[in-house]
């Protein structure tokens, strides 16, 4: 997708601090971290919103969660735990229209999911 900032990161047109990459999935540090650990995990396939997911994407979304496990292991926060958040649409405040999964951790996050 031409004007998509995350597609530009995938293509290497915009730099990012990458933590994981394979043929289908990319993970990089959020530019404006909301917690000591704040990593974004994205599919390389451009999908604008979670509501655009199709049955054919089910394997890919499952892979994102197993990739998150690998990242947690590699980055050393698997034992401590973390939170995964994916925003969808206007009420969630989704800013970047390429689906992404926030991994948040590195501190006790508190009991509120909704900020
Ligand atoms: P959203 O609100 O859409 O769920 O989250 C978008 C996230 O992308 C935000 O946390 C924001 O800081 C991050 N972000 C936006 N532009 C860039 C960028 O160019 N590079 C990186 N690494 N993160 C970005
Ligand atoms: Zn995109």
């Amino acid at each position: 997708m031409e004007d998509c900032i995350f597609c530009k990161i995938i293509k290497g047109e915009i730099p990012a601090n990458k933590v994981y990459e394979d043929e289908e999935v990319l993970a990089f540090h959020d530019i404006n971290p909301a917690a000591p650990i704040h990593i974004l995990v994205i599919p390389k396939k451009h999908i604008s919103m979670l509501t655009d997911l199709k049955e054919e994407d089910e394997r890919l979304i499952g892979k994102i969660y197993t990739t998150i496990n690998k990242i947690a292991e590699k980055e050393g926060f698997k034992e401590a735990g973390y939170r995964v958040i994916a925003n969808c649409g206007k009420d969630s405040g989704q800013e970047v229209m390429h689906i992404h999964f926030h991994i948040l951790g590195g501190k006790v996050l508190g009991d509120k999911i909704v900020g």
Side-chain angles (χ1 to χ4, degrees):
M1 233 286 175
E2 248 178 48
D3 282 333
C4 171
I5 202 160
F6 286 176
C7 283
K8 286 183 178 169
I9 287 175
I10 291 161
K11 286 187 269 181
E13 293 171 10
I14 292 175
N17 189 355
K18 295 178 187 177
V19 297
Y20 177 89
E21 180 165 21
D22 65 26
E23 66 286 352
E24 292 181 307
V25 177
L26 178 66
F28 49 93
H29 289 281
D30 196 290
I31 205 168
N32 184 22
I37 293 164
H38 190 170
I39 294 167
L40 301 174
V41 186
I42 65 172
K44 289 190 170 177
K45 175 182 178 183
H46 179 90
I47 301 168
S48 296
M49 296 174 66
L50 293 174
T51 43
D52 293 325
L53 286 171
K54 307 271 188 288
E55 274 185 30
E56 68 199 38
D57 301 315
E58 287 174 359
R59 188 195 54 81
L60 181 58
I61 298 307
K63 179 177 174 175
I64 283 178
Y65 278 90
T66 52
T67 302
I68 289 170
N69 283 350
K70 287 183 194 164
I71 293 167
E73 174 108 56
K74 182 168 154 259
E75 299 291 314
F77 56 88
K78 186 178 172 185
E79 293 305 317
Y82 51 88
R83 183 173 289 161
V84 179
I85 292 177
N87 290 316
C88 179
K90 185 168 61 66
D91 279 1
S92 76
Q94 182 182 0
E95 285 174 7
V96 178
M97 299 308 285
H98 179 131
I99 61 166
H100 50 279
F101 297 77
H102 298 256
I103 308 174
L104 296 159
K107 67 170 187 179
V108 175
L109 293 165
D111 58 2
K112 284 189 187 159
I113 293 174
V114 179

